[in-house]
Amino acid sequence: MSVKIGIIADTATDTEMGKAYFESRGYTTVCKPVKETSALCMQFFKESESVRNAYMTNLIEEIKSEGGTAICVYANSICAYVDFDQLSAKTYIPIITPFHAYQLIGKQYKKPLVFAVTSGALSGIEKSIWKSNPNADIRGIYDLDIAMQIENGIAAEQIVKSAGIAELLSFAEKSGSDCVILGCTHFPYLKTELEKYSHIPIVDPADIIAQQIKSVICEESV
């Protein structure tokens, strides 16, 4: 019997991406998007901290009641507005987020460029990297519209060309960046296309998150 984990993500789109990613690795999943679309998520982020925390606590408890033994937050923006470490302690279930992965990535790269979807996510990722590498020289850009184009099913090749992302990669290299971090779980949709234009690594934190999920599940089973 496979281990069941919860997937929480900003939208239905990246929740499905997280579901596909972890089920391909043998997990059973129970999925809870925060909201259906990026636009609705932006409205939710503007709610008070107490409202956000109560809402997320309910989602976590639903996952627990449906048999989830650990939770992966397969999203970045929500992590900037909710303290999942605090909620993990409160609800007694391990919760792994991309922000945990960025602390490990920060040990590998000195001058990352973070490609995010909101200013809050960009700021949160920056703080996470600085926890492990206070001297990191971090550059960043964010664009919610690109996530919305992905949700609308626009081809990766078209998005990369029309949104100026190819030029962004050129800027990253010329400015001395040593990697581009995908700071939104929508953006792996673009990764293969981005690698056609980039001479520096395109870093997706998903693999690190998967390793961390595996570790906490092993610890729980001991």
Side-chain angles (χ1 to χ4, degrees):
M1 183 176 180
S2 63
V3 175
K4 181 180 284 188
I5 64 171
I7 305 294
I8 294 176
D10 290 342
T11 71
T13 299
D14 47 7
T15 302
E16 282 301 310
M17 291 177 176
K19 173 184 171 71
Y21 182 88
F22 280 96
E23 290 189 354
S24 73
R25 282 155 177 78
Y27 294 100
T28 301
T29 61
V30 51
C31 298
K32 303 290 178 181
V34 176
K35 297 292 180 181
E36 283 297 307
T37 67
S38 294
L40 290 174
C41 272
M42 288 303 296
Q43 292 302 314
F44 174 70
F45 298 154
K46 296 174 185 177
E47 298 283 0
S48 68
E49 180 179 356
S50 61
V51 168
R52 294 194 303 267
N53 284 344
Y55 183 91
M56 296 309 302
T57 298
N58 285 337
L59 288 187
I60 292 166
E61 293 296 346
E62 287 177 12
I63 288 171
K64 289 173 62 180
S65 70
E66 294 176 39
T69 58
I71 294 174
C72 170
V73 180
Y74 199 79
N76 290 272
S77 294
I78 186 65
C79 299
Y81 300 95
V82 174
D83 186 340
F84 283 103
D85 289 338
Q86 183 183 74
L87 291 186
S88 176
K90 175 183 175 183
T91 56
Y92 302 102
I93 187 170
I95 302 176
I96 300 298
T97 81
F99 281 17
H100 296 125
Y102 295 129
Q103 292 180 38
L104 296 178
I105 293 170
K107 295 178 180 179
Q108 295 179 260
Y109 298 98
K110 297 179 179 179
K111 295 183 178 181
L113 184 143
V114 178
F115 182 23
V117 72
T118 65
S119 58
L122 180 57
S123 175
I125 293 168
E126 182 179 65
K127 291 174 183 176
S128 294
I129 293 172
W130 278 337
K131 284 183 179 179
S132 62
N133 184 1
N135 296 318
D137 179 9
I138 303 166
R139 302 91 189 272
I141 187 169
Y142 65 92
D143 190 341
L144 177 63
D145 185 61
I146 292 173
M148 296 175 72
Q149 289 183 54
I150 292 170
E151 289 173 8
N152 290 330
I154 297 174
E157 180 181 8
Q158 182 178 342
I159 295 173
V160 170
K161 288 183 177 179
S162 64
I165 304 174
E167 288 80 3
L168 170 64
L169 295 172
S170 176
F171 163 78
E173 293 175 21
K174 291 178 180 178
S175 65
S177 298
D178 53 4
C179 75
V180 174
I181 297 175
L182 299 181
C184 172
T185 43
H186 284 60
F187 291 170
Y189 177 81
L190 306 175
K191 186 179 179 184
T192 299
E193 194 65 27
L194 296 177
E195 288 174 336
K196 295 178 183 179
Y197 295 89
S198 181
H199 297 98
I200 58 177
I202 305 294
V203 180
D204 178 1
D207 291 339
I208 297 173
I209 295 170
Q211 292 169 8
Q212 293 176 316
I213 284 285
K214 183 178 180 179
S215 294
V216 298
I217 289 172
C218 290
E219 289 172 4
E220 290 292 308
S221 63
V222 172

